[in-house]
Amino acid sequence: MDLKFKEKIDALVSEVAAIPDLTTKIAVLNYIQQETGFLLWQLEDEQRIDEDSRDY
């Protein structure tokens, strides 16, 4: 993994960990989980399309 991405992710995790309100922290983490799940779904779909195009 690129060091710049790792540093950004670590900074985001630290920022979320510093949120004092538990309800807000949970909402933020749920949102991050939702968005990363969608991104993963998109990437897996792109990968399937790429693999299918190589089969022809």
Side-chain angles (χ1 to χ4, degrees):
M1 177 185 327
D2 187 294
L3 182 59
K4 290 180 185 179
F5 286 122
K6 184 182 181 316
E7 290 171 350
K8 289 179 183 182
I9 293 167
D10 290 345
L12 179 60
V13 168
S14 295
E15 189 173 341
V16 172
I19 296 172
D21 180 62
L22 183 59
T23 304
T24 302
K25 188 183 294 189
I26 290 170
V28 169
L29 290 172
N30 283 335
Y31 179 74
I32 290 171
Q33 185 177 27
Q34 174 187 344
E35 291 300 304
T36 55
F38 181 69
L39 179 60
L40 181 59
W41 175 80
Q42 284 181 315
L43 292 172
E44 288 171 344
D45 194 46
E46 288 178 22
Q47 185 178 29
R48 280 191 294 274
I49 292 169
D50 186 55
E51 289 170 356
D52 288 348
S53 69
R54 288 188 217 159
D55 291 342
Y56 294 105

